[in-house]
Amino acid sequence: MFRLKELRQKRHISQVRLAIELNMNQNTICRYETEAREADYKTLIKIADYFNVSVDYLLGRTDNPQIYSSK
């Protein structure tokens, strides 16, 4: 994922810690960061929610990290 490593490092979170928080394997986090593996939509949502950013921001489709709300 385009911004996963950046977001993780800004919070000073290791890959291992993030994997534990998201109930994933550290190797999976590494593969997402190096784009050797792509996340399914449920995982994208889980990661975006964890960092409180939009999926579009996580994927680099926008520079606005805010989550759209129609409320």
Side-chain angles (χ1 to χ4, degrees):
M1 279 168 270
F2 189 75
R3 290 196 166 107
L4 178 58
K5 185 175 183 177
E6 172 189 327
L7 289 165
R8 181 180 59 75
Q9 289 178 334
K10 279 185 182 179
R11 288 203 184 172
H12 307 286
I13 300 170
S14 68
Q15 287 182 348
V16 173
R17 180 67 183 166
L18 182 59
I20 291 168
E21 293 284 332
L22 298 177
N23 196 28
M24 294 180 185
N25 185 298
Q26 180 269 329
N27 193 36
T28 301
I29 300 295
C30 179
R31 288 182 177 183
Y32 289 156
E33 288 184 357
T34 61
E35 297 183 14
R37 181 175 180 177
E38 291 184 5
D40 61 34
Y41 78 94
K42 288 182 181 181
T43 303
L44 288 172
I45 292 168
K46 185 187 239 187
I47 294 170
D49 286 350
Y50 179 83
F51 287 107
N52 196 33
V53 297
S54 69
V55 171
D56 281 343
Y57 181 78
L58 184 62
L59 294 175
R61 294 185 60 184
T62 181
D63 291 330
N64 182 356
Q66 294 183 342
I67 300 170
Y68 174 76
S69 176
S70 61
K71 295 179 184 178

